[in-house]
Amino acid sequence: MNGPFDFTLALADDALIAAQRLAEWTTRAPEMEEDIALANIALDQLGAARLLLSYAGELEGAGRDEDALAYLRDDRQFRNVLLVELPNGDFAVTMAKLFFLAAYQLPLYTALAGCADERLAAIGGKARKESAYHLDHGALWVKRLGDGTEESHRRMQAAVDHVWPYTHELFAADPAAPVDPATLRPAFDEVVGPVLAEATLTRPGSAWAPAGGRAGVHSEHLAYLLAEMQVLHRAHPGAKW
Amino acid sequence: MSERAEQSGVTGHSPLWEVFVRARRGLSHTHVGSLHAPDAELALRNARDLYTRRQEGVSIWVVPAGAITASSPDEKDAFFDPAADKVYRHPTFYEVPDGVAHL
């Protein structure tokens, strides 16, 4: 990453792809109340994505608005971390993804709220309140499933083991960015450690750290997600709705 | 379905909760609806999503539906009619002095 455009776009893509994945749960969650909570979080992420994409478009100065950036880039041009594009899996995998993402986004947006760039600071100030709620929700379910039944514990541990390697990419150092992600790691560990412990889950020790999302090198999942997300816009480019 | 589950209207596993909300500038908690949740903590969070859209400064109460005792519609007459007969129970026999604006 280099420059405010790439940084802003990367955060926007994280939120956009996370929103798309969460929206896939609509009408399919384990409970009606949870269905609404997931849709709520998806809408928060989409709201943050729209603000960040719009600002990225302005920073770029090439006339691309939020829709052009969301619907007319292919997977190699997306800058989201691999974590958010992973398939939803079962409810435990989704909660592991949500929990880790929120534990990263909360300190990120909090730090952003105090940065020199006024627009990014305003977006951070708005989004951090939402992230606090997402973190609360994710932590709550990680604890409930981890410390629930034998089967839910097994699934939650499997989910944490599956998702954990993808958390390392969140903290790839970028000293030139308004907020260097590497500085967020202690805050992340401080939140994640006690929750996993309370959930009777083992923190994975794997050294495998898949990455590449920030450089546009994604897993095989993203292209399918984009095909679905962009199909209408690509079929009718320039249409207004 | 067990008798207890029938009473609380539960078909799965989560009991029914009644939700009362006091708006930021509201004076009292008002019953706004009900929801299913496995426990009070989740009931509170779900109520926040369903009924308050996470507005800041609102107060939420959740109560297990089973904890509420309601007056029975069949006993309505016995409960409330006598009061209507006894007009002397109604505070309508006072002369309001002039100049008392806020009585």
Side-chain angles (χ1 to χ4, degrees), chain A residues 36 40 44 133 136 144, chain B residues 14 39 41 45 49-50 54:
Chain A
I36 290 164
N40 232 318
D44 286 344
Y133 165 74
D136 186 65
R144 273 158 200 270
Chain B
S14 291
D39 58 40
E41 190 186 12
R45 284 151 206 259
D49 284 348
L50 288 166
R54 281 184 270 147

Side-chain angles (χ1 to χ4, degrees), chain A residues 88-101:
Chain A
N88 284 334
D90 62 10
F91 188 64
V93 171
T94 293
M95 284 304 121
K97 287 199 311 174
L98 175 67
F99 175 53
F100 292 143
L101 179 68

Side-chain angles (χ1 to χ4, degrees), chain B residues 10-90:
Chain B
V10 181
T11 49
H13 49 282
S14 291
L16 187 69
W17 299 75
E18 300 297 336
V19 182
F20 300 78
V21 171
R22 181 169 64 76
R24 183 167 13 183
R25 289 176 174 272
L27 291 171
S28 59
H29 286 76
T30 307
H31 182 239
V32 292
S34 52
L35 54 81
H36 291 284
D39 58 40
E41 190 186 12
L42 264 176
L44 203 56
R45 284 151 206 259
N46 291 340
R48 182 173 49 170
D49 284 348
L50 288 166
Y51 293 113
T52 72
R53 313 293 301 171
R54 281 184 270 147
Q55 275 181 58
E56 281 148 39
V58 299
S59 164
I60 305 173
W61 290 347
V62 290
V63 184
I68 293 175
T69 308
S71 62
S72 155
D74 300 338
E75 295 164 14
K76 195 180 75 169
D77 293 350
F79 257 59
F80 302 115
D81 262 5
D85 291 347
K86 295 165 186 147
V87 287
Y88 51 82
R89 284 188 174 179
H90 301 178

Side-chain angles (χ1 to χ4, degrees), chain A residues 7-31:
Chain A
F7 177 78
T8 307
L9 191 65
L11 302 194
D13 287 349
D14 287 353
L16 178 63
I17 302 302
Q20 181 75 8
R21 279 292 185 223
L22 284 166
E24 291 171 7
W25 272 103
T26 306
T27 74
R28 287 169 167 74
E31 291 178 325

